[in-house]
Amino acid sequence: MLEILLPALLSGLLLSLITAPLGAFVVWRKMAYFGDTLSHSAIFGVALGIFFNINPYVAILILTLSLAVIMVWLESHTNFSVDTLLGIIAHSCLSLGVVTVALLHNVRVDLMAYLFGDLLAMDFNDVYVVALGVALVLGALAYFWKPMLSMTVSPELAQVEGVNVERMRFILMLLTALTIALSMKFVGALIITSLLIIPAACARRFSRSPCQMVLIAIGFSMLAVILGLTLSAFYDTPAGPSVVLGATSLFVLSFLKKEVH
């Protein structure tokens, strides 16, 4: 049992190092719908991967990064609201992915694994890929942390201080897209955004500063991974949703603590 769960546990703990800080930005900037758009579009990435005979997770990575670029461009060059653009892209790509998979003859695709994750199918090769991606995202977050935080607190003030707000927004979207692609096998397309949001929302009730919120969110995220995998091991429940339920339980329990102001 330990040999099966260990790669999933290591992957989950590693991913917590980036889902927590990016989740904090998602909460601060109210970007949850952006995360949903990228995650729902991943099913189209699966279909493209099968069609072009490449690893579906590589196709998901390419698609999510491409969509992040497209969304930034559309936001700057159209008069539609961001919510409208995200809604159109999310549901169009999800529907296009499902229809494309249905049209692929003589190919059996387990969509449930992509929708809700296939944690227990992870091996140490997946852990190495996750570790590489986590190192890349963490390095970028550390390098751009101050301008990103400044942009989040006050875009106008950040602009006055010389921060390229559009560039920082673009980088944040790319990092979020990369994190979603890395997390897809761990927790699945439909619930990946919850892994970003819930630990950060929990941490918000206990923190007095942005850095403190990120560190506490990492702790909550890691604890949710451990709780979810423990539930899955003992009761044979789906691992990805179990992790999200672990995070949700922590969020509910967080209301026992008075919010820090």
Side-chain angles (χ1 to χ4, degrees), residues 173-200:
M173 286 185 171
L174 284 181
L175 293 178
T176 305
L178 178 57
T179 300
I180 286 172
L182 283 171
S183 306
M184 194 65 62
K185 191 168 186 177
F186 183 79
V187 77
L190 291 186
I191 50 180
I192 175 56
T193 310
S194 59
L195 200 63
L196 290 167
I197 296 172
I198 300 175

Side-chain angles (χ1 to χ4, degrees), residues 196-260:
L196 290 167
I197 296 172
I198 300 175
C202 289
R204 195 171 196 173
R205 301 186 61 82
F206 296 86
S207 56
R208 296 180 181 274
S209 69
C211 290
Q212 193 178 59
M213 178 171 165
V214 167
L215 292 174
I216 295 173
I218 289 173
F220 275 126
S221 185
M222 288 183 170
L223 184 56
V225 169
I226 294 169
L227 288 173
L229 289 181
T230 302
L231 178 64
S232 179
F234 281 95
Y235 296 100
D236 197 27
T237 56
S242 297
V243 170
V244 174
L245 284 179
T248 304
S249 300
L250 293 174
F251 178 69
V252 172
L253 289 173
S254 73
F255 281 93
L256 297 175
K257 169 77 166 62
K258 187 177 180 181
E259 191 169 0
V260 174

Side-chain angles (χ1 to χ4, degrees), residues 61-234:
L61 175 60
I62 295 170
L63 180 67
T64 51
L65 291 175
S66 300
L67 283 175
V69 174
I70 291 169
M71 282 189 276
V72 171
W73 186 89
L74 287 173
E75 187 179 349
S76 304
H77 292 81
T78 67
N79 294 323
F80 292 106
S81 69
V82 176
D83 283 352
T84 300
L85 292 171
L86 293 178
I88 292 170
I89 293 172
H91 299 106
S92 297
C93 284
L94 178 60
S95 300
L96 188 57
V98 173
V99 171
T100 304
V101 168
L103 292 174
L104 292 172
H105 300 293
N106 302 319
V107 177
R108 280 185 63 86
V109 181
D110 182 13
L111 279 183
M112 292 297 288
Y114 294 103
L115 291 173
F116 298 105
D118 196 11
L119 245 180
L120 301 184
M122 297 188 78
D123 55 30
F124 284 103
N125 289 327
D126 295 313
V127 176
Y128 300 142
V129 172
V130 168
L132 181 62
V134 167
L136 180 63
V137 174
L138 268 182
L141 278 172
Y143 186 79
F144 293 113
W145 174 260
K146 285 187 177 179
M148 277 186 184
L149 189 59
S150 178
M151 169 198 69
T152 300
V153 173
S154 174
E156 295 79 10
L157 184 59
Q159 194 89 47
V160 171
E161 292 174 347
V163 174
N164 188 328
V165 173
E166 290 299 319
R167 180 178 172 228
M168 286 301 105
R169 185 182 298 144
F170 178 62
I171 291 171
L172 180 59
M173 286 185 171
L174 284 181
L175 293 178
T176 305
L178 178 57
T179 300
I180 286 172
L182 283 171
S183 306
M184 194 65 62
K185 191 168 186 177
F186 183 79
V187 77
L190 291 186
I191 50 180
I192 175 56
T193 310
S194 59
L195 200 63
L196 290 167
I197 296 172
I198 300 175
C202 289
R204 195 171 196 173
R205 301 186 61 82
F206 296 86
S207 56
R208 296 180 181 274
S209 69
C211 290
Q212 193 178 59
M213 178 171 165
V214 167
L215 292 174
I216 295 173
I218 289 173
F220 275 126
S221 185
M222 288 183 170
L223 184 56
V225 169
I226 294 169
L227 288 173
L229 289 181
T230 302
L231 178 64
S232 179
F234 281 95

